[in-house]
Amino acid sequence: MKIGVPKEIKNNEYRVGLTPRSVQILSNSNHQVYIQKDSGAEIGFLDEHYENAGAKILTSPEKVYELSELIIKVKEPIPEEYKYLNENHTVFAYLHLAGNKKNAIDLTSTGISGIALETVTAEDGSMPLLSPMSSIAGQLSIIVGSYHLLKPYNGMGTLIGEIENIDPRIVTVIGAGVAGTEAIKKAINNKAYLKVIDLSKEKLKDLQKTFGNNNIEYIESTELSIEEALKVSDLVIGSVYVLGKQAPKVVTNNMLRKMKQGAVIVDISIDQGGCFESSIPTTHDNPTYVKDGVIHYCVTNMPGAVPLTATEALNKATLPYILELANKGVDLALKENIHLANGLNIKNGKVVHSSVREALSL
């Protein structure tokens, strides 16, 4: 199969769809890989590394798309790339269609088959290709949240950490999936007082068994419980995810107005539209804005801040699926693997994933 890896062009996006090692494995299976020039240069994957692994280096995105059948990306194609796409392409990437209806419809109109990494499933109901990036985003949320609590960055001027004879600061995590659990671990390491909020009583019980009760509250999610937690929180992490759908707005503007001045919220769910009513997508160049005195961090590609780690983690998860698509052909691979087929969001000019169609009101 002819496999293309265009250079990512989203703001501050230095991740790349395939590592040289992944290219070597695909080349050894008699697949031709085309890499756009300098796609991995910012994270140390040089063109010569790709050439040594068997890839052909192409100077333009247009040529990569023209020669390739299977397109491996990290982030969803953006409008500048639509002109290169057509019905001969299968795009394997994070698509996050529910987060932007206009882009979803425009991307669908290109005619591509689109397999979304975030809706590929596993036997246990988990999302194995979303998980590594969620894990990274969860860890980063405490780092960036703590950073923006500093006074020079408009925060209240407090430290999430253990200071002798001073009460610990309060961190609230809403949604205890993969990202939320990683945020919890990081907050515990930083000696914060934690409020963990989730809809699932079973999830909360499991977390209690894992992390104990020292400086942690486990709270069933309701409007009232969220509002009460927000009133006293210094840092709030939103990590609510519903497969294929837009994230529910669990924090309203009315709740926001009751938060402390200079508090920080980090919306990990922003790729799916965000779980705070006040969330607006931001970039690594301009990651925050202030609304009602609360700093909002809503960067849509958080793991892009650690592109080398993120690329290596992503490739470990995606390579078996890429090999399956390449070795069998897309149609047969989807037919024989129901979990991979759950990733199919777009085909023949239509959104075909039921949850995504519902989220987009199609």
Side-chain angles (χ1 to χ4, degrees):
M1 182 173 283
K2 296 177 179 179
I3 302 168
V5 180
K7 188 175 183 178
E8 300 289 330
I9 62 172
K10 197 163 187 174
N11 178 272
N12 276 277
E13 185 53 80
Y14 301 114
R15 288 176 289 180
V16 60
L18 292 175
T19 64
R21 178 182 175 276
S22 295
V23 169
Q24 182 72 69
I25 292 169
L26 288 162
S27 297
N28 289 345
S29 297
N30 297 316
H31 303 295
Q32 179 61 64
V33 182
Y34 300 104
I35 304 285
Q36 186 180 340
K37 182 177 173 59
D38 293 333
S39 288
E42 293 285 348
I43 55 174
F45 297 148
L46 305 181
D47 290 345
E48 63 191 76
H49 299 152
Y50 284 112
E51 287 181 312
N52 291 338
K56 289 185 178 180
I57 305 300
L58 301 175
T59 57
S60 70
E62 183 177 10
K63 204 65 179 174
V64 173
Y65 285 98
E66 179 185 324
L67 295 176
S68 305
E69 308 160 73
L70 178 61
I71 304 295
I72 308 299
K73 289 183 92 289
V74 179
K75 292 301 291 178
E76 71 280 357
I78 60 177
E80 295 93 313
E81 297 170 291
Y82 293 170
K83 61 189 174 186
Y84 304 128
L85 294 167
N86 59 56
E87 65 276 3
N88 297 320
H89 292 130
T90 295
V91 176
F92 193 56
Y94 292 112
L95 298 181
H96 294 295
L97 300 180
N100 188 319
K101 184 173 183 177
K102 182 182 185 304
N103 280 352
I105 292 171
D106 289 346
L107 183 59
T108 302
S109 69
T110 65
I112 66 164
S113 293
I115 302 173
L117 304 185
E118 71 273 11
T119 64
V120 172
T121 55
E123 287 289 344
D124 61 1
S126 65
M127 291 154 282
L129 305 187
L130 182 62
S131 180
M133 296 305 99
S134 295
S135 177
I136 290 171
Q139 293 186 52
L140 284 173
S141 68
I142 300 298
I143 296 171
V144 299
S146 298
Y147 180 81
H148 285 98
L149 278 168
L150 302 179
K151 197 64 178 175
Y153 306 104
N154 298 316
M156 66 175 64
T158 193
L159 181 68
I160 300 293
E162 185 176 33
I163 305 297
E164 188 175 1
N165 298 323
I166 296 179
D167 290 338
R169 310 309 300 188
I170 298 176
V171 174
T172 291
V173 177
I174 306 173
V178 173
T181 299
E182 290 299 324
I184 291 165
K185 291 177 185 177
K186 203 78 171 175
I188 290 172
N189 290 340
N190 280 275
K191 309 298 184 183
Y193 186 95
L194 261 169
K195 293 177 180 286
V196 180
I197 301 177
D198 198 273
L199 278 172
S200 170
K201 292 181 181 179
E202 289 303 312
K203 168 65 76 173
L204 293 171
K205 287 179 182 177
D206 289 343
L207 291 170
Q208 191 170 18
K209 289 177 184 177
T210 301
F211 298 120
N213 295 304
N214 187 36
N215 278 355
I216 307 178
E217 293 179 53
Y218 302 92
I219 303 167
E220 187 176 353
S221 181
T222 66
E223 287 188 19
L224 180 60
S225 67
I226 292 173
E227 181 174 307
E228 291 301 311
L230 264 57
K231 286 179 183 178
V232 297
S233 296
D234 304 288
L235 173 59
V236 179
I237 310 299
S239 55
V240 180
Y241 180 78
V242 181
L243 180 65
K245 296 185 179 181
Q246 191 171 50
K249 307 294 185 186
V250 297
V251 174
T252 67
N253 288 333
N254 186 52
M255 294 176 187
L256 184 77
R257 286 189 283 270
K258 298 176 183 178
M259 290 182 67
K260 299 177 184 178
Q261 296 291 291
V264 175
I265 62 174
V266 178
D267 195 342
I268 297 176
S269 305
I270 192 64
D271 277 318
Q272 294 293 120
C275 61
F276 299 89
E277 188 178 1
S278 52
S279 289
I280 302 169
T282 61
T283 68
H284 288 292
D285 280 347
N286 295 289
T288 64
Y289 59 92
V290 180
K291 180 174 172 59
D292 293 329
V294 177
I295 293 90
H296 291 58
Y297 182 99
C298 304
V299 174
T300 56
N301 56 333
M302 282 182 66
V306 287
L308 179 55
T309 297
T311 295
E312 291 177 334
L314 182 60
N315 267 240
K316 284 186 178 180
T318 58
L319 184 58
Y321 297 91
I322 295 169
L323 278 167
E324 192 170 353
L325 289 165
N327 290 339
K328 294 180 178 179
V330 173
D331 290 341
L332 183 59
L334 294 174
K335 182 179 179 180
E336 293 186 350
N337 186 338
I338 183 60
H339 297 295
L340 180 57
N342 286 337
L344 187 66
N345 281 204
I346 301 172
K347 191 173 179 63
N348 297 328
K350 296 179 180 179
V351 175
V352 296
H353 192 289
S354 59
S355 293
V356 178
R357 285 184 61 82
E358 181 181 343
L360 297 173
S361 301
L362 297 176

